[in-house]
Amino acid sequence: MSTEVPASGSRAFGRRLLVTLLVLTLLTGAFAVLNMLQGAKLTNAAIDTRLATDRAGTTLVLTANQPIDSIADVRVSPDEAVDVAIDGRTVSLAFERPLADATDYDVTLSGVVGTIQPTHSEWTYSFSTPDRPIGVLSRSASGDDRVLVRDLHGKAAGSVLFSAPVIRSFDMTSDGLVAALTVEPDGSTRAWVGGPDGAAELVPPPEAAVGATMSELHASPTNPLVGYTVSTPGTPEAPGLTDALVLHDLSGTADGAARFVGVFGDTPASVLHWTFVPGTSSVVVQDAQFSLFLVDALGLRPPQPLGRFDEMRGFIPGTTTLIVADPDAGSLIDLAAGSVTRLELPLSELADGTYAGRTHLLSPDGAYVQSFSVADYSTGSTRLFSSVARVDADGTTTELFAPATTSSRVDQYCPAPNGRSVAVVTVPLGAVPDSDGVAPGFADSLTTIVDAVTGAVIASSPGAFPDWCR
C-alpha cells in the first residue's frame, strides 16, 4: 500500500499553514501596535503607609512596563505636596509632610509618556493610611492606675493596656506595647512591658542598678528599645548613681539586654533629660552640664556632641530636627545635616491680662500651638480661663480648643507625632493632685484630641500624660 500524500493535499496543507502563520503574525503585530498606542502602563506600586503617617519624605514608588520620559501632572486627593523623581521605569513620589491618619488617598498621574513612543497615558493608585493609637494614664484615688489606649478615629472608647496600684509614668513601644514605671508599696520603682492580653513582664535593670529609683522613662517609636534613668545611694566603698541612663533592647537579639549609656567612655553619664530620635536607633542625651550628645543606642558609633543648651523641647513632627532653647532664644538642630539654626517664630497678639504658655511646633514652616490663659479676679479668688490656639507662620492665630466649661483649665497639650492633631489635657476646677511627688497629676483629668487646623474634636479619653507628650 502506498503512503505518499497526493500533491494536491500537500499544497492545501501548506496554504492553510501559511494562512495561519500570517494571521498569527498580524494579530501579534496588532497587539504590539495597540500596546504601543496605549503608552506606559503602571505595573506595581508600594508605600509604607504606617511610616508615611509618621515621617516627612516617605515615598510612594510606582513601577511602569517601560522607561518613563516625562509626566505632565501629579495630583493627590486629599491634597498633598509631593516631590516627583523619574528613574528609568520607576517614578517616586516623596510626600513633603507626614500624611493624615485613617485617610483614603487617591493619586493620579496625567500625561505619562514612555521613552518608546509619545503616547500619553494616565495612572491612578489608591491607598489608605492606618489609624493612630494614643495612650493616656488614668490615675485613681481608690483603685489601680491604668494605661488606656484607643485609636483616634475608632468607635471603641479604648482598652486597658496595663494596670498597677501606682503607675509613675508610661510610654508606648514601636510594636504597640506599653512600657511603664510602677511605685511599689515599699517606695521602690520597677519597669514593666505589657501588652493587650493583660500580661506584663518585669524588665530587669543591670546588676549595678538593682533597687535603684527609676525615672525619665521613654520607648522608641521605631525600634524595640526602652530606657529610663536610675539613681542609687552611694556607699563608703563606691559612689552611687545619679540619673544614669539605662537602655534595654527588647528584641532579644543583642548581647546583654540592658546597658548603661555613657558619653565619655564607659562611665554612666548623669542625665538631665533624654529622648529617642524618631526613625533611628539613636538617643539625644543632655548631661548635668547641659551639654547635648547624639548617642547610638546600640553602642555601634561614638557619641557626637551637639552643643550646650538649657532645654530640650522634642522634635518637629515628622522630622529629626531637635528643638532646643536658651533663656534668650530657641534653636533647631538638624540631626541629619548636623546644622544648627536660630528658631524664629511669629508672635501672636496678646490682649492685656493674657498669659501665653509653652510653644509646640507643628511643622518646619514655623506653625505652632500655644496655650493662652486669662486671669479672673472678680470672684475674690484667682481663676484662669484657658485655651489652646494655633499660630501660623504669618502670625495668624486660630483658637483650636477651649474647655467646655469655665470650671476646667488646660493642663497639658502637645501635637501628634505627625503634627496633624493636638492632644489637650484639662483638669476641673478644685481638682486635688495625686500623691506622686515626681510626676504629679489629677485623677479627674480628661484628654481631648482635636484637629490641628480646624480644632474639630476627634476623640477623648479619661486620663492625662498622653504618650505623644514625651
Side-chain angles (χ1 to χ4, degrees):
M1 179 182 293
S2 175
T3 58
E4 294 181 1
V5 179
S8 59
S10 176
R11 286 195 296 272
F13 175 78
R15 284 195 298 271
R16 289 195 298 270
L17 179 61
L18 179 61
V19 169
T20 301
L21 292 175
L22 287 173
V23 170
L24 290 175
T25 301
L26 290 173
L27 288 174
T28 301
F31 282 126
V33 171
L34 182 62
N35 187 57
M36 291 182 63
L37 291 176
Q38 288 179 340
K41 292 182 179 180
L42 175 64
T43 59
N44 190 44
I47 183 173
D48 186 335
T49 54
R50 175 75 275 172
L51 182 65
T53 62
D54 285 334
R55 305 285 298 154
T58 302
T59 302
L60 168 62
V61 179
L62 305 173
T63 305
N65 63 343
Q66 61 179 281
I68 301 303
D69 179 68
S70 62
I71 300 172
D73 184 48
V74 177
R75 300 186 305 276
V76 181
S77 179
D79 185 48
E80 293 291 343
V82 294
D83 293 324
V84 182
I86 300 173
D87 183 9
R89 296 191 304 119
T90 300
V91 177
S92 300
L93 307 181
F95 294 96
E96 293 185 3
R97 62 173 180 166
L99 298 182
D101 309 300
T103 301
D104 299 326
Y105 282 95
D106 298 312
V107 181
T108 303
L109 284 72
S110 303
V112 181
V113 179
T115 58
I116 296 177
Q117 49 76 44
T119 301
H120 289 222
S121 60
E122 181 173 280
W123 295 354
T124 59
Y125 179 70
S126 300
F127 64 92
S128 299
T129 56
D131 208 343
R132 179 178 300 278
I134 182 171
V136 296
L137 174 57
S138 178
R139 287 193 170 139
S140 173
S142 56
D144 284 355
D145 295 346
R146 301 173 300 162
V147 174
L148 307 176
V149 64
R150 64 158 297 157
D151 287 336
L152 294 191
H153 302 272
K155 295 181 180 179
S159 58
V160 178
L161 204 58
F162 180 78
S163 63
V166 181
I167 300 176
R168 171 153 292 165
S169 62
F170 83 99
D171 204 353
M172 304 297 295
T173 70
S174 59
D175 52 0
L177 302 178
V178 60
L181 292 182
T182 62
V183 181
E184 304 305 308
D186 62 0
S188 62
T189 48
R190 293 185 179 183
W192 303 81
V193 172
D197 58 359
E201 295 184 2
L202 191 65
V203 181
E207 184 177 349
V210 173
T213 299
M214 304 174 180
S215 59
E216 195 84 16
L217 172 77
H218 296 291
S220 170
T222 311
N223 300 291
L225 298 168
V226 171
Y228 49 80
T229 58
V230 296
S231 297
T232 61
T235 66
E237 294 77 20
L241 298 170
T242 302
D243 296 321
L245 178 58
V246 175
L247 292 180
H248 289 262
D249 186 336
L250 303 178
S251 67
T253 60
D255 294 333
R259 70 180 190 89
F260 287 104
V261 174
V263 293
F264 296 110
D266 296 329
T267 302
S270 293
V271 174
L272 290 178
H273 299 290
W274 73 281
T275 188
F276 284 101
V277 180
T280 75
S281 62
S282 298
V283 299
V284 175
V285 172
Q286 184 182 42
D287 69 11
Q289 285 71 47
F290 298 94
S291 295
L292 299 184
F293 297 86
L294 181 65
V295 181
D296 181 72
L298 303 179
L300 303 179
R301 296 182 298 274
Q304 175 186 343
L306 300 175
R308 186 183 182 281
F309 301 91
D310 280 16
E311 289 185 71
M312 288 172 48
R313 293 192 172 183
F315 293 89
I316 297 178
T319 75
T320 56
T321 299
L322 181 68
I323 308 162
V324 295
D326 287 317
D328 59 341
S331 299
L332 300 176
I333 304 176
D334 186 335
L335 297 181
S339 60
V340 180
T341 57
R342 186 181 177 89
L343 177 59
E344 302 287 352
L345 291 179
L347 297 178
S348 58
E349 295 184 2
L350 298 180
D352 292 341
T354 300
Y355 305 91
R358 185 169 181 169
T359 60
H360 293 276
L361 283 176
L362 290 169
S363 57
D365 66 3
Y368 63 90
V369 290
Q370 188 172 34
S371 69
F372 298 94
S373 300
V374 179
D376 176 23
Y377 307 101
S378 62
T379 61
S381 60
T382 303
R383 296 176 62 185
L384 287 177
F385 298 95
S386 53
S387 62
V388 174
R390 173 192 178 102
V391 182
D392 285 308
D394 61 0
T396 301
T397 302
T398 306
E399 184 179 277
L400 295 180
F401 176 86
T405 66
T406 57
S407 60
S408 294
R409 62 176 176 82
V410 173
D411 186 44
Q412 299 169 292
Y413 55 97
C414 66
N418 61 0
R420 297 284 190 145
S421 51
V422 178
V424 183
V425 179
T426 53
V427 177
L429 182 68
V432 179
D434 55 40
S435 58
D436 195 319
V438 176
F442 301 86
D444 297 326
S445 299
L446 177 69
T447 297
T448 304
I449 300 95
V450 299
D451 186 275
V453 175
T454 66
V457 175
I458 299 172
S460 62
S461 176
F465 305 105
D467 64 294
W468 300 352
C469 302
R470 296 286 181 257

